[in-house]
Amino acid sequence: MSAESTALLTDMYEFTMIDAALKSGHAERETVFELFGRRLPEIRRYGVVAGTARILDALESFRFGDAELAYLREKGTLSEAALDYLGDYRFSGSISGYAEGECYFAGSPLLTVSGTFAECVLLETLLLSIMNHDCAIATAASRMTTAAHGRPCLEMGARRTHEAAAVAAARATVVGGFVGTSIMEAGRSYGIDTIGTAAHSFTLLYDSEEDAFDAQVASLGPGTTLLVDTYDVERGVERAVAAARRAGGELGAVRLDSGDLIAQAFRVRKQLDDLGASTTKITVTSDLDEYAIAALGAAPVDAYGVGTKVVTGSGRPTAQLVYKLVAHRDADGSWVNVQKKSESKTSLGGRKFAGRVLEAGHAVSELVLATHDEDVAREHLRKRRARPLQVDLVRDGTISDEHRGAEALAAARDRHEASRAELPYPAWRLSAGDPGIPTEHVRL
């Protein structure tokens, strides 16, 4: 794959389907595809939409240049007609979907992709790979920020996942409410605040813990965060506070990365207060997940650094989303709704429009309307007092800039906070249970 192109982030069967459809004359048939989940992953009571901005960036680069076409020709699988089609490929259809940061439920039409069969089917793997990853990470992050009750969560998981996934995961955690990341590329690419000071290796490098702390404070200032559990925590706290004061200031924070974090947090808070370092904060790390964060809720902790669990979806690394053809026009131009009917994999045919039904400001159901008439759908949503959930992402091949970039990421984080706040209290629980709100399907 050339560095500029995302076109080969595509499964082979998408190419062979296009080739066959071109030969049969069906490739240009107008279609509607939808990306959705038949059910939420186990234990999840809601999902969080993330990845749409990355999809728009990837779509802009979805071009078959000389290198991509040469590879496909060398494979010998596709006809010259198919290769010619790919060489001219530009997505000219439209994509609408849930705004990034929205909560979603089973059957929610997260993306609706309309255009010819050939141009829409070719995007299946690209769309699914991004959204299955990013939605899973954002949902895990949301559960963790819920458990944190307003205390900041910081992403530190780059070393626990693929290098490219680490950058995407950092962005998705921000959608779910995280406020910083350790991975610098995410800071550069998405404008996320970057965090981090020193590891145990830095302390071990020096002849004494005092020397290590003095060196870090000299470089980063007394407001830095010192890791105090390389040797003995109590001695480490004493030395950390003293190092900051030798530099003429108060220590910013101490970090605890091992042992019984709850007990240690109480002991360290008392020790800091007794030393007169009442403004020094406590950050905890060490393989945290939403349950560990919830358990630390009563402890005097000021921030959480989360690594492995958040970048791997906290045990649910995929959002289990699918991409299916739901309608196409027939020979006379009429819409034909289509759907799978195989056992356990059924879906509802027809284009969908969605809204969240609210009562007294709280969500009571997800309303999914099957109709090809947008005006009828919007009127029905209005009558049901349902907040519309879908926005235009691509219109006739033109990509919306409103939904990507640093400002869009900040807006997605705020949107998620508001969307989550709409949900009834049971949706916030970390335990297994029913979805936070039911999904109501209506065919108009």
Side-chain angles (χ1 to χ4, degrees):
M1 183 181 72
S2 62
E4 297 79 15
S5 174
T6 57
L8 292 186
L9 298 175
T10 303
D11 281 330
M12 181 173 173
Y13 80 161
E14 289 152 40
F15 293 121
T16 55
M17 283 191 285
I18 287 176
D19 203 348
L22 286 168
K23 292 172 181 174
S24 68
H26 285 65
E28 296 300 315
R29 177 171 278 188
E30 190 175 353
T31 59
V32 177
F33 283 76
E34 287 177 347
L35 187 148
F36 61 96
R38 294 189 178 94
R39 63 192 65 83
L40 293 172
E42 185 184 7
I43 301 181
R44 301 295 185 248
R45 294 179 180 235
Y46 63 87
V48 180
V49 178
T52 49
R54 292 210 304 123
I55 282 172
L56 299 182
D57 290 340
L59 186 60
E60 192 169 53
S61 302
F62 201 88
R63 303 284 187 271
F64 293 86
D66 292 342
E68 289 73 39
L69 292 172
Y71 170 74
L72 293 173
R73 182 171 284 109
E74 179 184 344
K75 293 289 290 182
T77 305
L78 302 181
S79 67
E80 282 300 317
L83 293 169
D84 288 343
Y85 173 85
L86 295 174
D88 294 333
Y89 182 87
R90 300 290 186 276
F91 181 73
S92 62
S94 297
I95 303 176
S96 61
Y98 279 36
E100 201 163 26
E102 285 284 4
C103 295
Y104 73 87
F105 300 89
S108 297
L110 303 192
L111 290 179
T112 301
V113 183
S114 58
T116 68
F117 174 79
E119 65 181 340
C120 293
V121 78
L122 196 57
L123 299 180
E124 176 181 1
T125 302
L126 181 73
L127 303 184
L128 284 175
S129 62
I130 291 174
M131 293 205 73
N132 266 315
H133 175 268
D134 288 22
C135 290
I137 305 306
T139 302
S142 176
R143 286 163 59 85
M144 292 173 186
T145 54
T146 294
H149 289 291
R151 295 170 176 172
C153 291
L154 309 166
E155 184 275 314
M156 300 176 168
R159 67 195 65 191
R160 300 294 189 236
T161 188
H162 185 277
E163 66 274 14
V167 180
R171 185 186 183 282
T173 66
V174 174
V175 175
F178 276 50
V179 297
T181 179
S182 64
I183 185 70
M184 298 300 289
E185 184 58 51
R188 181 176 74 162
S189 296
Y190 301 119
I192 305 171
D193 288 341
T194 52
I195 52 93
T197 55
H200 292 103
S201 60
F202 184 81
T203 302
L204 294 169
L205 172 68
Y206 289 81
D207 294 334
S208 70
E209 194 171 46
E210 291 94 336
D211 289 347
F213 287 171
D214 285 340
Q216 184 177 326
V217 170
S219 177
L220 298 177
T224 190
T225 298
L226 291 174
L227 181 58
V228 295
D229 68 344
T230 303
Y231 303 112
D232 176 81
V233 172
E234 184 176 351
R235 293 290 300 277
V237 170
E238 291 176 1
R239 292 164 177 166
V241 171
R245 288 176 176 168
R246 282 194 293 273
E250 200 67 60
L251 182 62
V254 296
R255 178 161 74 97
L256 302 173
D257 187 53
S258 60
D260 184 337
L261 295 177
I262 297 174
Q264 283 202 57
F266 279 105
R267 288 196 296 267
V268 169
R269 181 72 272 160
K270 183 179 186 306
Q271 184 182 2
L272 288 170
D273 292 344
D274 289 346
L275 290 170
S278 59
T279 63
T280 300
K281 297 182 182 298
I282 299 173
T283 295
V284 298
T285 53
S286 186
D287 206 27
L288 300 178
D289 62 10
E290 58 264 52
Y291 305 108
I293 291 171
L296 284 158
V301 172
D302 297 289
Y304 304 97
V306 190
T308 303
K309 295 298 175 63
V310 72
V311 299
T312 57
S314 195
R316 303 295 180 274
T318 176
Q320 299 179 6
L321 304 172
V322 297
Y323 183 76
K324 299 299 177 185
L325 177 68
V326 297
H328 65 75
R329 287 196 188 274
D330 64 11
D332 66 7
S334 300
W335 281 110
V336 177
N337 297 333
V338 297
Q339 64 193 62
K340 285 184 65 173
K341 295 184 179 179
S342 54
E343 186 177 354
S344 80
K345 291 189 175 182
T346 59
S347 57
L348 181 66
R351 187 187 185 107
K352 318 295 189 309
F353 295 89
R356 193 149 296 149
V357 180
L358 304 173
E359 293 181 2
H362 293 287
V364 295
S365 68
E366 188 92 335
L367 181 59
V368 178
L369 308 174
T371 177
H372 290 279
D373 192 323
E374 184 173 358
D375 292 336
V376 169
R378 294 203 177 280
E379 177 62 16
H380 193 86
L381 292 174
R382 186 190 67 78
K383 289 180 179 179
R384 291 288 304 274
R385 297 181 181 178
R387 178 172 66 83
L389 295 169
Q390 292 149 303
V391 297
D392 284 338
L393 301 170
V394 181
R395 176 65 69 178
D396 297 328
T398 300
I399 298 172
S400 170
D401 288 331
E402 178 185 352
H403 300 287
R404 53 181 178 164
E407 291 184 3
L409 178 57
R413 185 177 184 275
D414 293 343
R415 184 180 298 112
H416 174 59
E417 186 175 356
S419 181
R420 185 176 61 184
E422 283 182 346
L423 300 181
Y425 174 73
W428 290 48
R429 293 175 181 166
L430 303 181
S431 58
D434 293 332
I437 56 175
T439 301
E440 180 184 357
H441 293 278
V442 177
R443 187 174 293 282
L444 299 179

mmCIF file of all heavy atoms in Angstrom, residues 361-391:
data_model
loop_
_atom_site.group_PDB
_atom_site.id
_atom_site.type_symbol
_atom_site.label_atom_id
_atom_site.label_comp_id
_atom_site.label_asym_id
_atom_site.label_seq_id
_atom_site.Cartn_x
_atom_site.Cartn_y
_atom_site.Cartn_z
ATOM 1 N N GLY A 361 -36.540 15.189 29.918
ATOM 2 C CA GLY A 361 -35.100 15.298 29.710
ATOM 3 C C GLY A 361 -34.335 14.005 29.790
ATOM 4 O O GLY A 361 -33.112 14.002 29.615
ATOM 5 N N HIS A 362 -35.010 12.885 30.041
ATOM 6 C CA HIS A 362 -34.332 11.593 30.154
ATOM 7 C C HIS A 362 -34.773 10.652 29.033
ATOM 8 O O HIS A 362 -35.951 10.618 28.653
ATOM 9 C CB HIS A 362 -34.618 10.955 31.514
ATOM 10 C CG HIS A 362 -34.010 11.699 32.652
ATOM 11 N ND1 HIS A 362 -32.655 11.686 32.919
ATOM 12 C CD2 HIS A 362 -34.561 12.506 33.594
ATOM 13 C CE1 HIS A 362 -32.401 12.439 33.971
ATOM 14 N NE2 HIS A 362 -33.540 12.952 34.403
ATOM 15 N N ALA A 363 -33.831 9.896 28.506
ATOM 16 C CA ALA A 363 -34.124 8.972 27.411
ATOM 17 C C ALA A 363 -34.953 7.804 27.914
ATOM 18 O O ALA A 363 -34.666 7.244 28.981
ATOM 19 C CB ALA A 363 -32.821 8.467 26.800
ATOM 20 N N VAL A 364 -35.964 7.431 27.126
ATOM 21 C CA VAL A 364 -36.785 6.278 27.484
ATOM 22 C C VAL A 364 -36.730 5.192 26.416
ATOM 23 O O VAL A 364 -37.015 4.029 26.705
ATOM 24 C CB VAL A 364 -38.250 6.686 27.745
ATOM 25 C CG1 VAL A 364 -38.343 7.590 28.961
ATOM 26 C CG2 VAL A 364 -38.872 7.367 26.527
ATOM 27 N N SER A 365 -36.363 5.547 25.182
ATOM 28 C CA SER A 365 -36.238 4.524 24.141
ATOM 29 C C SER A 365 -35.474 5.073 22.950
ATOM 30 O O SER A 365 -35.362 6.284 22.756
ATOM 31 C CB SER A 365 -37.615 4.015 23.679
ATOM 32 O OG SER A 365 -38.317 5.028 22.981
ATOM 33 N N GLU A 366 -34.929 4.134 22.169
ATOM 34 C CA GLU A 366 -34.287 4.432 20.887
ATOM 35 C C GLU A 366 -35.319 4.109 19.813
ATOM 36 O O GLU A 366 -35.768 2.964 19.690
ATOM 37 C CB GLU A 366 -33.048 3.548 20.716
ATOM 38 C CG GLU A 366 -32.193 3.910 19.518
ATOM 39 C CD GLU A 366 -31.114 4.896 19.898
ATOM 40 O OE1 GLU A 366 -31.301 5.641 20.888
ATOM 41 O OE2 GLU A 366 -30.089 4.953 19.218
ATOM 42 N N LEU A 367 -35.730 5.117 19.048
ATOM 43 C CA LEU A 367 -36.765 4.937 18.035
ATOM 44 C C LEU A 367 -36.104 4.843 16.667
ATOM 45 O O LEU A 367 -35.455 5.790 16.215
ATOM 46 C CB LEU A 367 -37.741 6.104 18.071
ATOM 47 C CG LEU A 367 -38.917 6.075 17.097
ATOM 48 C CD1 LEU A 367 -39.772 4.833 17.308
ATOM 49 C CD2 LEU A 367 -39.762 7.343 17.230
ATOM 50 N N VAL A 368 -36.243 3.686 16.009
ATOM 51 C CA VAL A 368 -35.629 3.453 14.697
ATOM 52 C C VAL A 368 -36.755 3.244 13.690
ATOM 53 O O VAL A 368 -37.517 2.278 13.783
ATOM 54 C CB VAL A 368 -34.688 2.234 14.727
ATOM 55 C CG1 VAL A 368 -34.098 1.982 13.348
ATOM 56 C CG2 VAL A 368 -33.575 2.462 15.745
ATOM 57 N N LEU A 369 -36.865 4.168 12.732
ATOM 58 C CA LEU A 369 -37.940 4.168 11.744
ATOM 59 C C LEU A 369 -37.428 3.673 10.407
ATOM 60 O O LEU A 369 -36.401 4.150 9.920
ATOM 61 C CB LEU A 369 -38.493 5.581 11.583
ATOM 62 C CG LEU A 369 -38.907 6.306 12.869
ATOM 63 C CD1 LEU A 369 -39.285 7.745 12.566
ATOM 64 C CD2 LEU A 369 -40.046 5.575 13.558
ATOM 65 N N ALA A 370 -38.129 2.720 9.821
ATOM 66 C CA ALA A 370 -37.761 2.192 8.511
ATOM 67 C C ALA A 370 -38.660 2.831 7.448
ATOM 68 O O ALA A 370 -39.858 2.572 7.392
ATOM 69 C CB ALA A 370 -37.913 0.675 8.484
ATOM 70 N N THR A 371 -38.073 3.693 6.636
ATOM 71 C CA THR A 371 -38.793 4.367 5.555
ATOM 72 C C THR A 371 -37.779 5.009 4.623
ATOM 73 O O THR A 371 -36.661 5.338 5.041
ATOM 74 C CB THR A 371 -39.745 5.449 6.095
ATOM 75 O OG1 THR A 371 -40.378 6.130 4.992
ATOM 76 C CG2 THR A 371 -39.000 6.478 6.930
ATOM 77 N N HIS A 372 -38.154 5.208 3.377
ATOM 78 C CA HIS A 372 -37.276 5.910 2.441
ATOM 79 C C HIS A 372 -37.643 7.377 2.319
ATOM 80 O O HIS A 372 -36.995 8.111 1.571
ATOM 81 C CB HIS A 372 -37.331 5.230 1.066
ATOM 82 C CG HIS A 372 -36.682 3.883 1.055
ATOM 83 N ND1 HIS A 372 -35.324 3.714 0.949
ATOM 84 C CD2 HIS A 372 -37.200 2.639 1.180
ATOM 85 C CE1 HIS A 372 -35.029 2.416 0.994
ATOM 86 N NE2 HIS A 372 -36.155 1.745 1.132
ATOM 87 N N ASP A 373 -38.663 7.809 3.061
ATOM 88 C CA ASP A 373 -39.116 9.198 3.005
ATOM 89 C C ASP A 373 -38.603 9.940 4.232
ATOM 90 O O ASP A 373 -39.131 9.779 5.339
ATOM 91 C CB ASP A 373 -40.650 9.238 2.945
ATOM 92 C CG ASP A 373 -41.177 10.626 2.599
ATOM 93 O OD1 ASP A 373 -40.585 11.615 3.063
ATOM 94 O OD2 ASP A 373 -42.192 10.701 1.872
ATOM 95 N N GLU A 374 -37.577 10.741 4.044
ATOM 96 C CA GLU A 374 -36.957 11.436 5.171
ATOM 97 C C GLU A 374 -37.918 12.401 5.836
ATOM 98 O O GLU A 374 -37.923 12.551 7.063
ATOM 99 C CB GLU A 374 -35.695 12.173 4.708
ATOM 100 C CG GLU A 374 -34.935 12.853 5.828
ATOM 101 C CD GLU A 374 -33.614 13.431 5.371
ATOM 102 O OE1 GLU A 374 -33.258 13.271 4.184
ATOM 103 O OE2 GLU A 374 -32.929 14.052 6.211
ATOM 104 N N ASP A 375 -38.757 13.093 5.037
ATOM 105 C CA ASP A 375 -39.703 14.050 5.610
ATOM 106 C C ASP A 375 -40.710 13.346 6.517
ATOM 107 O O ASP A 375 -41.042 13.841 7.601
ATOM 108 C CB ASP A 375 -40.434 14.806 4.497
ATOM 109 C CG ASP A 375 -39.515 15.740 3.724
ATOM 110 O OD1 ASP A 375 -38.480 16.153 4.293
ATOM 111 O OD2 ASP A 375 -39.824 16.052 2.563
ATOM 112 N N VAL A 376 -41.203 12.190 6.078
ATOM 113 C CA VAL A 376 -42.136 11.416 6.905
ATOM 114 C C VAL A 376 -41.461 10.987 8.208
ATOM 115 O O VAL A 376 -42.053 11.067 9.290
ATOM 116 C CB VAL A 376 -42.642 10.185 6.125
ATOM 117 C CG1 VAL A 376 -43.392 9.221 7.048
ATOM 118 C CG2 VAL A 376 -43.549 10.622 4.981
ATOM 119 N N ALA A 377 -40.203 10.549 8.090
ATOM 120 C CA ALA A 377 -39.475 10.110 9.281
ATOM 121 C C ALA A 377 -39.292 11.258 10.269
ATOM 122 O O ALA A 377 -39.512 11.092 11.479
ATOM 123 C CB ALA A 377 -38.130 9.533 8.877
ATOM 124 N N ARG A 378 -38.906 12.406 9.787
ATOM 125 C CA ARG A 378 -38.643 13.528 10.683
ATOM 126 C C ARG A 378 -39.941 14.007 11.352
ATOM 127 O O ARG A 378 -39.927 14.414 12.519
ATOM 128 C CB ARG A 378 -37.967 14.665 9.924
ATOM 129 C CG ARG A 378 -36.573 14.280 9.438
ATOM 130 C CD ARG A 378 -35.683 15.468 9.191
ATOM 131 N NE ARG A 378 -34.341 15.043 8.799
ATOM 132 C CZ ARG A 378 -33.406 14.639 9.656
ATOM 133 N NH1 ARG A 378 -33.670 14.601 10.951
ATOM 134 N NH2 ARG A 378 -32.220 14.271 9.224
ATOM 135 N N GLU A 379 -41.033 13.964 10.629
ATOM 136 C CA GLU A 379 -42.300 14.353 11.232
ATOM 137 C C GLU A 379 -42.700 13.357 12.322
ATOM 138 O O GLU A 379 -43.213 13.749 13.386
ATOM 139 C CB GLU A 379 -43.386 14.426 10.161
ATOM 140 C CG GLU A 379 -44.772 14.750 10.678
ATOM 141 C CD GLU A 379 -44.877 16.113 11.349
ATOM 142 O OE1 GLU A 379 -43.967 16.952 11.167
ATOM 143 O OE2 GLU A 379 -45.854 16.328 12.087
ATOM 144 N N HIS A 380 -42.458 12.082 12.066
ATOM 145 C CA HIS A 380 -42.780 11.063 13.074
ATOM 146 C C HIS A 380 -41.906 11.242 14.312
ATOM 147 O O HIS A 380 -42.395 11.118 15.446
ATOM 148 C CB HIS A 380 -42.583 9.663 12.485
ATOM 149 C CG HIS A 380 -43.168 8.572 13.312
ATOM 150 N ND1 HIS A 380 -44.480 8.176 13.207
ATOM 151 C CD2 HIS A 380 -42.622 7.801 14.307
ATOM 152 C CE1 HIS A 380 -44.721 7.202 14.074
ATOM 153 N NE2 HIS A 380 -43.607 6.953 14.751
ATOM 154 N N LEU A 381 -40.634 11.547 14.119
ATOM 155 C CA LEU A 381 -39.753 11.799 15.256
ATOM 156 C C LEU A 381 -40.228 13.003 16.054
ATOM 157 O O LEU A 381 -40.205 12.998 17.292
ATOM 158 C CB LEU A 381 -38.315 12.019 14.774
ATOM 159 C CG LEU A 381 -37.591 10.813 14.176
ATOM 160 C CD1 LEU A 381 -36.231 11.245 13.617
ATOM 161 C CD2 LEU A 381 -37.416 9.694 15.191
ATOM 162 N N ARG A 382 -40.669 14.026 15.347
ATOM 163 C CA ARG A 382 -41.151 15.231 16.032
ATOM 164 C C ARG A 382 -42.377 14.913 16.888
ATOM 165 O O ARG A 382 -42.467 15.341 18.043
ATOM 166 C CB ARG A 382 -41.487 16.313 15.003
ATOM 167 C CG ARG A 382 -41.866 17.664 15.619
ATOM 168 C CD ARG A 382 -42.412 18.613 14.581
ATOM 169 N NE ARG A 382 -43.688 18.153 14.054
ATOM 170 C CZ ARG A 382 -44.856 18.278 14.690
ATOM 171 N NH1 ARG A 382 -44.916 18.852 15.888
ATOM 172 N NH2 ARG A 382 -45.960 17.834 14.138
ATOM 173 N N LYS A 383 -43.317 14.156 16.324
ATOM 174 C CA LYS A 383 -44.523 13.812 17.068
ATOM 175 C C LYS A 383 -44.212 12.969 18.296
ATOM 176 O O LYS A 383 -44.905 13.068 19.318
ATOM 177 C CB LYS A 383 -45.501 13.077 16.154
ATOM 178 C CG LYS A 383 -46.144 13.957 15.094
ATOM 179 C CD LYS A 383 -47.104 13.154 14.232
ATOM 180 C CE LYS A 383 -47.774 14.051 13.191
ATOM 181 N NZ LYS A 383 -48.701 13.273 12.316
ATOM 182 N N ARG A 384 -43.195 12.141 18.194
ATOM 183 C CA ARG A 384 -42.826 11.286 19.332
ATOM 184 C C ARG A 384 -41.871 12.002 20.301
ATOM 185 O O ARG A 384 -41.429 11.419 21.272
ATOM 186 C CB ARG A 384 -42.158 10.004 18.815
ATOM 187 C CG ARG A 384 -43.097 9.052 18.083
ATOM 188 C CD ARG A 384 -44.062 8.369 19.046
ATOM 189 N NE ARG A 384 -43.370 7.675 20.117
ATOM 190 C CZ ARG A 384 -42.904 6.425 20.026
ATOM 191 N NH1 ARG A 384 -43.080 5.724 18.899
ATOM 192 N NH2 ARG A 384 -42.300 5.863 21.042
ATOM 193 N N ARG A 385 -41.568 13.248 20.022
ATOM 194 C CA ARG A 385 -40.632 14.024 20.852
ATOM 195 C C ARG A 385 -39.286 13.316 20.957
ATOM 196 O O ARG A 385 -38.665 13.227 22.029
ATOM 197 C CB ARG A 385 -41.223 14.271 22.241
ATOM 198 C CG ARG A 385 -42.498 15.096 22.209
ATOM 199 C CD ARG A 385 -43.041 15.329 23.598
ATOM 200 N NE ARG A 385 -44.286 16.094 23.555
ATOM 201 C CZ ARG A 385 -45.022 16.417 24.619
ATOM 202 N NH1 ARG A 385 -44.602 16.041 25.825
ATOM 203 N NH2 ARG A 385 -46.133 17.088 24.500
ATOM 204 N N ALA A 386 -38.842 12.854 19.810
ATOM 205 C CA ALA A 386 -37.563 12.142 19.742
ATOM 206 C C ALA A 386 -36.486 13.068 19.183
ATOM 207 O O ALA A 386 -36.694 13.724 18.156
ATOM 208 C CB ALA A 386 -37.693 10.899 18.865
ATOM 209 N N ARG A 387 -35.368 13.117 19.852
ATOM 210 C CA ARG A 387 -34.237 13.922 19.387
ATOM 211 C C ARG A 387 -33.561 13.226 18.210
ATOM 212 O O ARG A 387 -33.063 12.107 18.359
ATOM 213 C CB ARG A 387 -33.239 14.108 20.537
ATOM 214 C CG ARG A 387 -31.991 14.890 20.176
ATOM 215 C CD ARG A 387 -31.160 15.200 21.405
ATOM 216 N NE ARG A 387 -30.591 14.028 22.029
ATOM 217 C CZ ARG A 387 -29.468 13.420 21.641
ATOM 218 N NH1 ARG A 387 -28.800 13.883 20.584
ATOM 219 N NH2 ARG A 387 -29.008 12.360 22.289
ATOM 220 N N PRO A 388 -33.513 13.860 17.014
ATOM 221 C CA PRO A 388 -32.852 13.220 15.861
ATOM 222 C C PRO A 388 -31.377 12.956 16.170
ATOM 223 O O PRO A 388 -30.702 13.766 16.799
ATOM 224 C CB PRO A 388 -33.017 14.250 14.742
ATOM 225 C CG PRO A 388 -34.188 15.085 15.152
ATOM 226 C CD PRO A 388 -34.112 15.157 16.648
ATOM 227 N N LEU A 389 -30.871 11.820 15.695
ATOM 228 C CA LEU A 389 -29.515 11.391 16.039
ATOM 229 C C LEU A 389 -28.538 11.428 14.867
ATOM 230 O O LEU A 389 -27.332 11.377 15.078
ATOM 231 C CB LEU A 389 -29.558 9.967 16.609
ATOM 232 C CG LEU A 389 -30.308 9.818 17.937
ATOM 233 C CD1 LEU A 389 -30.519 8.347 18.265
ATOM 234 C CD2 LEU A 389 -29.558 10.508 19.063
ATOM 235 N N GLN A 390 -29.040 11.494 13.642
ATOM 236 C CA GLN A 390 -28.166 11.373 12.477
ATOM 237 C C GLN A 390 -27.800 12.733 11.891
ATOM 238 O O GLN A 390 -28.610 13.667 11.880
ATOM 239 C CB GLN A 390 -28.837 10.496 11.415
ATOM 240 C CG GLN A 390 -28.968 9.037 11.839
ATOM 241 C CD GLN A 390 -30.186 8.359 11.244
ATOM 242 O OE1 GLN A 390 -31.319 8.807 11.426
ATOM 243 N NE2 GLN A 390 -29.954 7.287 10.504
ATOM 244 N N VAL A 391 -26.579 12.821 11.412
ATOM 245 C CA VAL A 391 -26.073 14.044 10.773
ATOM 246 C C VAL A 391 -25.448 13.665 9.437
ATOM 247 O O VAL A 391 -25.071 12.515 9.207
ATOM 248 C CB VAL A 391 -25.028 14.749 11.666
ATOM 249 C CG1 VAL A 391 -25.647 15.200 12.980
ATOM 250 C CG2 VAL A 391 -23.827 13.836 11.924
#
